[in-house]
Amino acid sequence: MHASISENFEKFLNFENSGQVLTFHYRYQNMLVWPFIRNVVWNCIYKSAYGESTGLIDSSAQNMKKGRLLSYKWLQFLKISTNPLFSCKQTDILYLYHVIGNVKDEDDVYYNRIYDDFVALHESTAIIESAPLFRHFYPKKYKTYEADAIEIMCAFHEKLAPLNRQDRNTIGQMIDYLKRELPFALQESHWRMIRIELERYAKNMRLIYQYYHKVFTRISPRLVFVAQACDGSHMACKIKVLKDMGIPSAEIQHGLISSEHFAYNYSQAVCDSEEYRAYLPDHFLTFGHFWERTIRLPVHTEVLGSANFNRNFGMTGGSDNAVTKGIDAAILILPSVLETYTELIRYLYDKMPDRRLLVKVHPTKIKQYEAFKTMENDRISVYIRENINYFFDRAAVVIGDDSTALYEAAALGRQVMIWDTEYSRNIHRAVGRWFADKEELVRLLQSDRTDTAEQARPEDIFARDSDRRYREFIAGYVSRQDRKW
């Protein structure tokens, strides 16, 4: 039996705690290498231990795959109106995010479930988004600028520019060190992935740094919210620019975090490193106090709450919708691992012929969505881009093991069933009813017992009044006389 995720992650942190990974630097501005590659190394470890279909998205040069480098998207250079370097004016609050959180509302307008409700609270706010494969979503609720121009420039530069000798030596030395000291056996394909990532940042770091320095100089924000800023990778360079310019930054919690999430748990050596903190945001704003207690992060944490949850609660909470109580009510399934949930869906389809099955795939898992889509029929429907809010009134039961939506569904009074797997370690035991296998799940679904809202709503998981908390937080950076709300 292989080691658990928790055991492997602690082994990873013990390796990091030696501090040797903090001795490697790129030539450009002597930047630390480890913040840019840490997530890739852990992702390779995760894939090696649990299979190539698991883990994070492989983001290496993703925008330029399959010949897209020479596609019509180069015309993004000409879209001056969406390029922040030329069009975005001075603003108090800036959001540096991506399109993953964008969903459609009732009017077929896209809004971002993480931050759009906060954007509405301060008039002097600008948004810059990046998009995998440049697939932006319009129409948008708020004016949005695009990071496509710099990403295209980096893609060309990565393919055409040579690697300088100093960085080549540093990359070789770091890979040799990792191969020698990393307590995990990685495949050759993983080492190639690590080298590719190391080289692309060595080539593009100057472009990224100088571009965003110009953008921030033009916009002159008082506070910048950055998506997944604690992850490192390409965000590390942007955070470094902000730190060098003295501009404060913050990350808003966007999903589940736990004591095994690589982005929010660091070794003591990293936590003690003043140098490393230059690549991390100044603040991490959580859904509630529960999440603060599950992480080891050298960043100031503060409770913000979840605007998306408050939106759901306002629309659905307390609703006495007959759909959620009738015998024909749908079952909402939030899959994590493709193979196990494929088996579960087939089993439920056979054993519960009176129920519709709604499969809501995480928006980043395109391949998983395509696989589940082949299962669609008269009673199985598969979704990926739709807003999760819309499913809570259609489903009396919500099943999963690794999704923030499980917390939201429970707090809204839905019957939540948690699959007791290695991936459910993020889920509070007070939430929902737990089952060990598909047979037990069907027995529970056929029983008369249901969850109660009181059982499923720990107050510290989702703090209420996120609007007030947001106003108070940004007030520390935007003077009273400049407030626009």
Side-chain angles (χ1 to χ4, degrees), residues 311-323:
R311 173 190 288 263
N312 290 348
F313 191 84
M315 292 192 307
T316 314
S319 153
D320 192 24
N321 192 331
V323 174

Side-chain angles (χ1 to χ4, degrees), residues 119-138:
V119 169
L121 300 179
H122 189 72
E123 181 180 339
S124 183
T125 301
I127 303 167
I128 301 175
E129 285 187 343
S130 60
L133 302 178
F134 308 116
R135 292 172 181 165
H136 294 273
F137 299 100
Y138 290 104

Side-chain angles (χ1 to χ4, degrees), residues 19-46:
Q20 289 300 306
V21 291
L22 304 182
T23 63
F24 298 91
H25 295 79
Y26 284 115
R27 185 179 71 172
Y28 184 67
Q29 297 203 7
N30 202 39
M31 285 198 191
L32 269 176
V33 174
W34 190 235
F36 296 89
I37 201 66
R38 184 179 188 263
N39 66 330
V40 179
V41 173
W42 170 246
N43 192 28
C44 288
I45 294 169
Y46 194 91

Side-chain angles (χ1 to χ4, degrees), residues 207-307:
L207 282 176
I208 297 172
Y209 188 97
Q210 293 179 348
Y211 177 86
Y212 279 99
H213 194 282
K214 292 176 182 177
V215 168
F216 298 148
T217 299
R218 177 184 178 87
I219 298 174
S220 190
R222 303 186 184 188
L223 176 66
V224 178
F225 290 96
V226 185
Q228 296 171 263
C230 295
D231 288 30
S233 188
H234 63 288
M235 292 299 182
C237 192
K238 300 169 189 176
I239 292 293
K240 185 64 166 60
V241 179
L242 291 170
K243 287 291 179 72
D244 290 349
M245 297 181 70
I247 301 173
S249 59
E251 175 182 347
I252 297 174
Q253 182 178 349
H254 65 278
L256 289 181
I257 56 177
S258 71
S259 58
E260 290 87 37
H261 195 303
F262 79 93
Y264 307 101
N265 293 272
Y266 288 86
S267 66
Q268 193 60 47
V270 170
C271 289
D272 293 340
S273 171
E274 198 70 38
E275 183 182 21
Y276 199 99
R277 282 197 285 275
Y279 302 87
L280 293 171
D282 297 297
H283 305 278
F284 179 61
L285 308 180
T286 68
F287 293 148
H289 289 293
F290 165 75
W291 308 95
E292 289 182 300
R293 298 192 294 268
T294 67
I295 58 178
R296 293 160 285 182
L297 188 63
V299 172
H300 170 256
T301 59
E302 187 171 331
V303 172
L304 176 65
S306 168

Side-chain angles (χ1 to χ4, degrees), residues 30-130:
N30 202 39
M31 285 198 191
L32 269 176
V33 174
W34 190 235
F36 296 89
I37 201 66
R38 184 179 188 263
N39 66 330
V40 179
V41 173
W42 170 246
N43 192 28
C44 288
I45 294 169
Y46 194 91
K47 287 177 175 290
S48 179
Y50 305 106
E52 290 298 317
S53 62
T54 62
L56 310 172
I57 297 174
D58 291 334
S59 60
S60 306
Q62 190 173 131
N63 288 346
M64 295 300 116
K65 286 184 177 179
K66 300 179 182 178
R68 294 181 184 272
L69 179 61
L70 299 178
S71 74
Y72 74 95
K73 287 297 182 181
W74 68 272
L75 290 172
Q76 296 293 77
F77 276 117
L78 304 180
K79 293 178 65 176
I80 302 299
S81 63
T82 61
N83 189 325
L85 187 58
F86 303 108
S87 301
C88 193
K89 299 179 180 179
Q90 190 281 327
T91 189
D92 290 339
I93 309 295
L94 175 65
Y95 279 84
L96 278 182
Y97 265 73
H98 45 61
V99 302
I100 299 301
N102 288 341
V103 293
K104 275 189 177 182
D105 64 12
E106 298 87 344
D107 301 318
D108 285 338
V109 174
Y110 284 98
Y111 79 98
N112 190 287
R113 64 182 180 84
I114 305 299
Y115 59 76
D116 266 7
D117 289 296
F118 295 132
V119 169
L121 300 179
H122 189 72
E123 181 180 339
S124 183
T125 301
I127 303 167
I128 301 175
E129 285 187 343
S130 60

